[in-house]
């Protein structure tokens, strides 16, 4: 099985890409005719170019996703794979990168949309020029893409976070959400399900959501927003941060403040970033999936699209390399896998 345990072969392959994505808005030729391990490569895909456009470069979560994307592209047999993207996750920051891919005749564009609509016109032009569009991580407007690779069932990951915060604050008190950017499709969908759960689940009747703030997946801004939340809400008992950048920055703030161990923090984080805060008692439990699997499955969806094996219609099936078969669900959505909850007992088993 691939990925998330320590010392896997795939894990070791992540390092080179991670180093490169730290550089500004650049392109990288990543694979050049990978040999493939699945035995499924076809002549068609071997002539195709795939490009990944994440929400932003220099995000440790993105680096892991792209590592899986690189591996998947090689195993799927793409002629070349590259990564381009903005340094900040603002709404329109991806448009110029999409346009450049259209000009270059890229066959598959894999994109995590910073804003579902801001990228639409550019993606439409890319499609008119013949490209297949795979949204992943954060969906584009469904009219503008062929499939959306979702890391998890959105409602499931939202409900895990409300459950974790409820347990950690003892079932009552004020909580806040510290999100990424205000337009991100994935964040807003999770927040919507969390709000519905808080409002409708009788077990949460004594929990009050008092604020939603946005750190824009910028470490400094997220740190300041965490600080601001605690100043503005002196009775705050817990924070949910459903973003890897937000939860790490909030944990860093809490860990050296008087709130450490008193104000609970949960959400979605990378085990490698959160490990010190779990060990020092700042954070009890948080969740995530294996981000590399997201990029990996997206690459194989791209292969199935260019080979004409799927169109993105519900019921379409394709094989995602060593992760096995996936089926396209209603709305053109493909689910990668279930989330995992991390705590002091299991965190050392993970290396991402
Ligand atoms: C951040 C981004 C990303 C999200 C993860 C959990 O890195 O907001 O889109 O899926 O957190």
């Amino acid at each position: 099985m691939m990925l998330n345990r320590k010392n896997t072969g795939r894990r070791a392959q992540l390092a080179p890409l991670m180093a490169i994505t730290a550089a500004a808005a650049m392109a990288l030729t990543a694979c050049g005719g990978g040999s493939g391990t699945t035995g499924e490569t076809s002549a068609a895909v071997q002539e195709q170019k795939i490009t990944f456009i994440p929400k932003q470069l220099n995000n440790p979560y993105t680096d892991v996703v792209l590592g899986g994307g690189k591996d998947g592209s090689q195993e799927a047999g793409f002629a070349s794979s590259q990564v381009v993207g903005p340094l900040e996750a603002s709404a329109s920051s991806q448009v110029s990168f999409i346009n450049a891919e259209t000009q270059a005749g890229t066959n598959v564009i894999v994109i995590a949309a910073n804003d579902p609509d801001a990228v639409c016109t550019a993606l439409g032009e890319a499609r008119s020029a013949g490209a297949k569009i795979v949204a992943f991580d954060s969906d584009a407007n469904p009219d503008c893409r062929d499939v959306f690779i979702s890391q998890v069932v959105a409602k499931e990951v939202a409900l895990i976070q409300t459950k974790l915060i409820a347990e950690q604050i003892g079932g009552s008190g004020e909580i806040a959400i510290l999100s990424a950017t205000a337009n991100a499709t994935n964040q807003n969908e999770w927040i919507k399900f969390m709000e519905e759960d808080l409002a409708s689940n009788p077990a949460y009747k004594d929990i009050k959501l008092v604020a939603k703030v946005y750190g824009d997946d910028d470490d400094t801004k997220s740190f300041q927003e965490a600080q601001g939340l605690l100043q503005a809400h002196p009775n705050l008992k817990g924070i949910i941060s459903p973003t890897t950048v937000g939860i790490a920055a909030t944990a860093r703030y809490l860990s050296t403040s008087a709130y450490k161990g008193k104000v609970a923090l949960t959400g979605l984080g990378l085990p490698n970033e959160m490990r010190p805060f779990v060990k020092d008692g700042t954070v009890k439990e948080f969740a995530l999936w294996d981000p590399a699997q997201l990029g990996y499955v997206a690459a194989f969806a791209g292969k199935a699209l260019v080979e004409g094996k799927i169109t993105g219609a519900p019921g379409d099936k394709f094989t995602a390399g060593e992760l096995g078969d996936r089926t396209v669900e209603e709305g053109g959505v493909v689910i990668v896998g279930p989330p995992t909850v991390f705590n002091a007992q299991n965190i050392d088993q993970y290396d991402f």
Side-chain angles (χ1 to χ4, degrees):
M1 206 33 211
M2 72 183 282
L3 309 170
N4 61 21
R5 297 281 166 165
K6 269 200 162 171
N7 304 322
T8 62
R10 186 171 310 289
R11 180 67 37 221
Q13 293 170 26
L14 297 181
L17 189 70
M18 289 161 77
I20 293 164
T21 50
M26 57 176 295
L28 124 87
T29 298
C31 65
S35 58
T37 58
T38 63
E40 288 176 14
T41 57
S42 74
V45 78
Q46 282 163 351
E47 288 159 16
Q48 309 287 319
K49 297 184 284 186
I50 185 169
T51 293
F52 291 80
I53 307 180
K55 281 180 168 177
Q56 63 183 146
L57 301 182
N58 77 9
N59 173 336
Y61 172 84
T62 295
D63 292 340
V64 186
V65 172
L66 295 172
K70 177 187 171 189
D71 290 349
S73 304
Q74 284 178 330
E75 290 179 27
F78 278 96
S80 73
S81 158
Q82 63 168 5
V83 174
V84 298
L87 287 172
E88 57 174 66
S90 62
S92 59
S93 59
Q94 294 166 309
V95 170
S96 60
F97 293 95
I98 301 167
N99 291 342
E101 293 310 303
T102 306
Q103 290 298 318
T106 297
N107 308 94
V108 178
I109 296 175
V110 184
I111 183 163
N114 283 321
D115 179 299
D117 298 314
V119 292
C120 237
T121 305
L123 290 179
E125 286 165 9
R127 283 174 114 182
S128 301
K132 301 294 182 192
I133 310 298
V134 178
F136 74 156
D137 183 37
S138 185
D139 203 0
N141 182 323
D143 294 340
C144 319
R145 49 74 170 159
D146 294 291
V147 288
F148 171 50
I149 313 301
S150 181
Q151 44 281 77
V152 277
V153 177
K155 189 170 181 180
E156 190 183 338
V157 80
L159 268 49
I160 282 178
Q161 294 172 80
T162 45
K163 179 172 171 283
L164 289 175
I165 202 71
E167 286 168 2
Q168 292 174 23
I169 66 170
S172 73
E174 294 183 357
I175 63 165
I177 293 175
L178 193 157
S179 178
T181 55
N183 294 338
T185 327
N186 58 346
Q187 296 282 323
N188 289 336
E189 195 178 15
W190 300 332
I191 291 170
K192 179 193 81 182
F193 284 126
M194 287 189 227
E195 289 184 301
E196 284 174 11
D197 194 28
L198 291 168
S200 65
N201 189 330
Y204 304 154
K205 66 175 178 13
D206 296 328
I207 299 177
K208 190 168 175 218
L209 178 64
V210 293
K212 284 182 283 181
V213 296
Y214 298 88
D216 294 346
D217 273 349
D218 176 272
D219 177 70
T220 306
K221 178 151 195 290
S222 303
F223 187 95
Q224 288 163 352
E225 291 292 344
Q227 199 170 16
L229 272 178
L230 288 152
Q231 277 163 6
H233 302 278
N235 296 323
L236 201 66
K237 285 182 74 182
I239 299 172
I240 300 175
S241 187
T243 143
T244 55
V245 178
I247 194 173
T250 305
R252 205 172 72 249
Y253 171 67
L254 290 178
S255 68
T256 58
S257 76
Y259 306 107
K260 177 180 166 186
K262 298 197 176 88
V263 172
L265 171 64
T266 192
L268 303 177
L270 288 162
N272 285 352
E273 289 195 308
M274 298 305 289
R275 186 170 292 108
F277 305 117
V278 168
K279 301 231 162 172
D280 78 2
T282 305
V283 172
K284 275 206 181 76
E285 282 192 315
F286 64 98
L288 198 68
W289 44 87
D290 183 338
Q293 294 187 355
L294 177 63
Y296 186 85
V297 173
F300 278 92
K303 168 187 160 84
L305 283 165
V306 294
E307 289 180 339
K309 291 192 174 142
I310 65 170
T311 61
D316 277 357
K317 287 184 197 313
F318 65 99
T319 300
E322 64 186 70
L323 289 179
D325 291 346
R326 288 293 188 281
T327 303
V328 179
E329 297 177 12
E330 222 34 64
V333 177
V334 176
I335 303 292
V336 175
T340 300
V341 171
F342 305 96
N343 54 35
Q345 280 71 50
N346 70 359
I347 196 161
D348 285 339
Q349 296 166 22
Y350 296 91
D351 187 16
F352 59 88

